[in-house]
Amino acid sequence: MNNKKRNEKFLGFSRMNSQKRGISAVVATVLIILITVAAITIVWAAIIPMINNQLDQGTLCLDAVSQLSIMDEGWTCVDTPANELSLQIKKGATTFDLADVQVLISSGGNVESVKLLDTYALADLPDANEEKVFTLNVTALLAAGTIDSVKIAPIVKVGNTQETCSVSSSKTLLEC
């Protein structure tokens, strides 16, 4: 045995062990690319539905706010002796899923919120290109002072949830 082989045996090496290699650079690169693609796919699957839901909500609220308004034709007024607020609401031609209407009534600096479906049925809400008059009992509000103005905010259905949109219309009230 020559000296080199003897030294290798003595140190615990063998020729076979010195020829072993790790994974090649090509295999390592392919594995890194696969792991990156898998990570992007997982993130994409989680983020895209969330973004789509937010876009749907924004679009529906934009349509609802632009299409729902309080009419200024005499039917929107407050009848103090009868403790009633009459509100004429018009829905435009664009179709959206109107789930309810939030009515914000301003009286003596305070704002009270009432939903139309607390008093009316869903079928009573206006359809496309329709105007309807709603009468609300405002006895408690009139006790606090005169009713100054009224605002409405559409509530739209987004998937399985309901979203309250921004105020779409407001009107200073006159006596009926």
Side-chain angles (χ1 to χ4, degrees), residues 72-130:
D72 196 14
E73 298 177 0
W75 291 102
T76 300
C77 59
V78 62
D79 186 358
T80 306
N83 296 323
E84 290 181 342
L85 167 68
S86 294
L87 189 62
Q88 185 177 7
I89 298 177
K90 178 182 179 183
K91 183 177 177 187
T94 302
T95 57
F96 58 92
D97 198 2
L98 184 63
D100 200 351
V101 176
Q102 181 182 28
V103 180
L104 302 162
I105 305 167
S106 176
S107 173
N110 297 322
V111 177
E112 293 290 327
S113 173
V114 178
K115 292 184 179 178
L116 285 183
L117 290 187
D118 291 344
T119 308
Y120 293 92
L122 185 61
D124 293 331
L125 294 178
D127 288 327
N129 287 324
E130 195 173 54

Side-chain angles (χ1 to χ4, degrees), residues 6 17 26 28 42 49 52 55 58 70 72 98 114 131-132 135 138 150 158-159 162:
R6 214 177 296 144
N17 283 343
V26 173
I42 291 169
N52 283 340
L55 289 175
I70 300 172
D72 196 14
L98 184 63
V114 178
E131 296 177 18
K132 289 198 175 179
T135 304
V138 289
V150 65
V158 180
Q162 292 183 352

Side-chain angles (χ1 to χ4, degrees), residues 61-79:
C61 274
L62 184 62
D63 288 343
V65 167
S66 68
Q67 294 295 309
L68 201 65
S69 60
I70 300 172
M71 298 306 296
D72 196 14
E73 298 177 0
W75 291 102
T76 300
C77 59
V78 62
D79 186 358

